[in-house]
Amino acid sequence: MGKIYESRLERPTPNVSLGEIVLDKLRENGDRVYAIDGPTRKQITHREILEKSVKLANFLQRYGIKMGDRIGIATENRLNWLIPACATFYLGAIWTPYSFMYTEYEYKHILNIGKPRIIFVSHRTELLLAKILSTLSWKVELIQMDDQPLTVNVRTLTDILNKEPAVNYMTYKAADIGDPSRHPLVILCSSGTTGLPKGVTLSHKNLIAFLTKISQPRYLDTKNGRILLLVPFYHGYGMSLLFVCLYSNSTAIIMPAFEPKLFLTLIQEYKITHVPTVPSILTFLAKHPLVERYDFRSVRELICGAAPLAKDMIAAVKGRLGIKAIRNGYGMTELSIVSGLSSRDDDDDDSHETPQSGVPLPGFLSKVVDIETQETLDAGQVGEICYLGEQVMLGYWDNPESTRQTIDQDGWLHTGDIGYYDDKDRLHVIDRVKELIKYKGFQVSPSEIETVLLSHPEVKDAAVASKPDERDGERAVAFVVKQPGAKVTAKDLHDLIKQKLSPQKWLYGGVQFIDAVPKSPSGKILRRELRAMIAKL
């Protein structure tokens, strides 16, 4: 029959809207600093967010924003990002964050999914979005989050708030949204690593379930902590951390982009307790010479997510920095961000080649199924990972066909990830179903080869993808970024792979040296870009 893994809820998830929870938390914390901007050191308090978000909600309501309308944002990480997000939640409208790095083609695609009525922009995105608006079939207004607009007839958030009358924010009430498990809260862009992004729709209940579980001390002991927020807020990982900080009374130190010296300085200066990150930052911490000059003694935990993690990289960072716990998280936007997090006391377990991502969070059922037969498998057997529970998304916005392909008729969400559960009921994730390389009938995991390549001291970064081949089906091609001044050759890397891995995993497609591996801002390798590079070889 196979095994189904269950982690029971200790207490029911609150049956309220996120708007109500946010209002309570902002009132409770008053003049306490909520966030600090890393580059400028400016601060914002809970009271300031409360007052400005309620004022903005009143403005939006007068503007005609109704329950269920979509409101977008396309900016870098910033101190005032939460103000329009909270105002949207209070009204029962739907928040739609977009990448500030999108091209015109990508924006047109993703805007046509949610069709927002208002988009909050920055100097980086205003001109491109202003150009796109005239091509859309519905009316969209831009509001500039910076103090000066770049185009005419664009209002600024500051100007709106200055003109808005004073409000009694202590008695303000969020809209009654009805059933929180059915009312959409946010439409997040799927990562789009293999194709164009889809709109992942999460309910109020989805995100509240995540917040109430992840904020328990056995998962993230962040109470009164200082959390460095570098992961982009338009991504589910980054956005959810903003609300983890609010829910757990932590202080957020915000970075709009990764700058090595500023990143290290902020950890030391603010005595950061938690560093949520991605594997590429872990590689930086393991290998960059600058790291040794900074003090990491305040860091209680380093949490890594968004892509598979190499065990030797965990060991290298722990040994170098003396950080006690490096936790490996597993999840996806469609599962309300995180479905499992490795525990603090068994990240040194050497009995498995791949790091584990812990048991499922409370409220989840999980299983591993055979890719071909869909039969439920036992512990130790490798297949596709599936989940059932209150963190499973509502679906893809306005895309019932993609929703049906992901959530089956029994409600199980099929992740598209390959992995297995060990004999301690802990999940090990190996790769993506669609990213497996089919060499002569063998299924080869790119991340397994990448882990070996990254173990070479002269390799800064690496990614592996498939090259079509008439005889073998597909062959593995490695794209490698050298460390500065490195003399490693393609032959050296071929020899390393042959020494460590069995013949079906060798680099028959060759080794290509490149300047940078194409990745999403959340750290996921963009395999579609690798395949485009292969097509030009």
Side-chain angles (χ1 to χ4, degrees), residues 53-73:
S53 60
V54 171
K55 273 188 172 184
L56 182 60
N58 285 340
F59 164 82
L60 293 173
Q61 203 161 24
R62 276 203 320 282
Y63 180 88
I65 296 298
K66 305 181 297 299
M67 196 174 294
D69 284 344
R70 274 76 67 201
I71 297 177
I73 186 168

Side-chain angles (χ1 to χ4, degrees), residues 380-429:
Q381 293 183 296
V382 175
E384 185 181 11
I385 304 157
C386 301
Y387 284 94
L388 182 71
E390 63 182 3
Q391 282 184 227
V392 171
M393 67 170 177
L394 291 176
Y396 295 112
W397 186 266
D398 199 25
N399 194 338
E401 182 53 39
S402 288
T403 302
R404 276 194 297 272
Q405 290 171 9
T406 304
I407 302 175
D408 67 26
Q409 60 187 9
D410 297 318
W412 286 92
L413 184 138
H414 293 247
T415 65
D417 285 326
I418 298 292
Y420 66 94
Y421 278 93
D422 63 24
D423 55 5
K424 295 180 181 176
D425 292 354
R426 302 172 307 182
L427 179 65
H428 296 254
V429 183

